[in-house]
Amino acid sequence: MARDSYVNVPRGLSAAGAQRPQPFPYPSHPLTPYAPAVVNVALTGMVAQRDRVPHVPVTPEQIVEDAVACYAAGATVLHVHARDADGRPDWRRCAYAELIPELRRRCPGVVVCVTTSGRDVAEVDRRADVLELEGDARPDMASLTLGSLNFHTGPSVNAIATIEELARRMRDRAIRPELEVFDLGMAHLAHRLTRDGLLPDGAYANLLLGFHNGAPADARALVALIDALPSGTVWAAAGLGAFQRAVNALALAIGGHVRTGLEDNPHLDHEDRAPATNAALVRRAVAQAEAVGRVVAGPAQARATLGLAT
Ligand code: MG
């Protein structure tokens, strides 16, 4: 089968200016070394609480201290969810207004990516509230889940109209998306959103594998998702739960970037189930990168890779 035939773009769309099928975007390693690996740490998420995930940072002070430790260990993207005083997810921009400048002050050059998750709130105006911050508090990036799915704690609902409106507001605010892709249908949607000018060329996509209602955590699914994305997409991969270690290793070995952190996985070792810390998960990803000959990106390299000003 010809490589180009892997890409799922209807022929009619090509003539209309859609992304044309392109070959696998990364050259062979080690003849041409891969780009420095960008390590993204998803610190908190929507669900984890300290009674079950004792090291998850939930207060602004905990999030900052954890971010500093992860940055020192090699993380250059902070995927941030704010919580309220009771530890519940907080979509309000005021929850981020002091947190983001403090993250920038303590972690110079770091990429701040905020959530627009719809797991607790449905209204676009609420989900996009954090995008309205200005100055040092304006996020560099924001999550954009490209479809609906079922988590074991409940559904995450993302209607196409909602995805389009979130993408439009990010574009208009010059905030780049972190595309969250859980299956092929979500990768497919990225083509139409790119064609319609709602996603930037060379967008950053996180491929989240191993969830029971999404793509499985295996090499075939990962490569299928990579090939299904628009040409030039900067891809990273994350494994959910026990799959985090294997999916991170797989991505690093074939030229991708990675996301780790307690949002996606609470344990360093699923055999002994000892509680992990975000910094330990980052250190593991850095060690995995080094084991396959990858350089880990510093902040300026990460910003350049993700299409952000340095
Ligand atoms: Mg998130």
Side-chain angles (χ1 to χ4, degrees), residues 16-190:
Q19 294 273 354
R20 292 179 184 279
Q22 295 288 329
F24 191 78
Y26 293 102
S28 300
H29 180 70
L31 297 177
T32 305
Y34 292 131
V38 176
V39 177
N40 176 346
V41 60
L43 298 165
T44 303
M46 300 288 285
V47 175
Q49 296 291 349
R50 289 206 143 201
D51 55 346
R52 297 184 62 185
V53 185
H55 303 298
V56 66
V58 292
T59 69
E61 295 75 18
Q62 290 165 355
I63 291 171
V64 169
E65 291 309 316
D66 216 32
V68 169
C70 291
Y71 177 81
T76 45
V77 181
L78 304 172
H79 176 107
V80 179
H81 289 243
R83 298 283 182 92
D84 66 17
D86 296 320
R88 294 175 304 215
D90 193 345
W91 52 266
R92 298 172 302 163
R93 76 182 79 169
C94 62
Y96 292 87
E98 295 178 11
L99 176 59
I100 294 175
E102 187 65 5
L103 291 171
R104 296 195 192 288
R105 190 178 75 78
R106 299 285 301 279
C107 307
V110 82
V111 175
V112 178
C113 177
V114 295
T115 186
T116 64
S117 174
R119 287 174 73 176
D120 276 19
V121 292
E123 303 88 339
V124 171
D125 284 343
R126 292 185 175 196
R127 293 174 62 171
D129 194 53
V130 66
L131 305 179
E132 300 301 319
L133 289 165
E134 298 281 1
D136 259 9
R138 190 175 72 90
D140 298 294
M141 305 186 77
S143 69
L144 184 67
T145 306
L146 293 181
S148 301
L149 73 158
N150 294 305
F151 289 106
H152 65 277
T153 51
S156 170
V157 178
N158 298 288
I160 287 180
T162 301
I163 297 167
E164 290 174 334
E165 182 58 23
L166 289 170
R168 189 173 294 112
R169 294 189 193 193
M170 290 180 203
R171 179 196 65 189
D172 293 348
R173 301 277 298 152
I175 294 168
R176 290 182 74 89
E178 173 191 352
L179 306 178
E180 292 185 327
V181 174
F182 289 79
D183 65 28
L184 277 171
M186 297 191 194
H188 192 190
L189 183 63

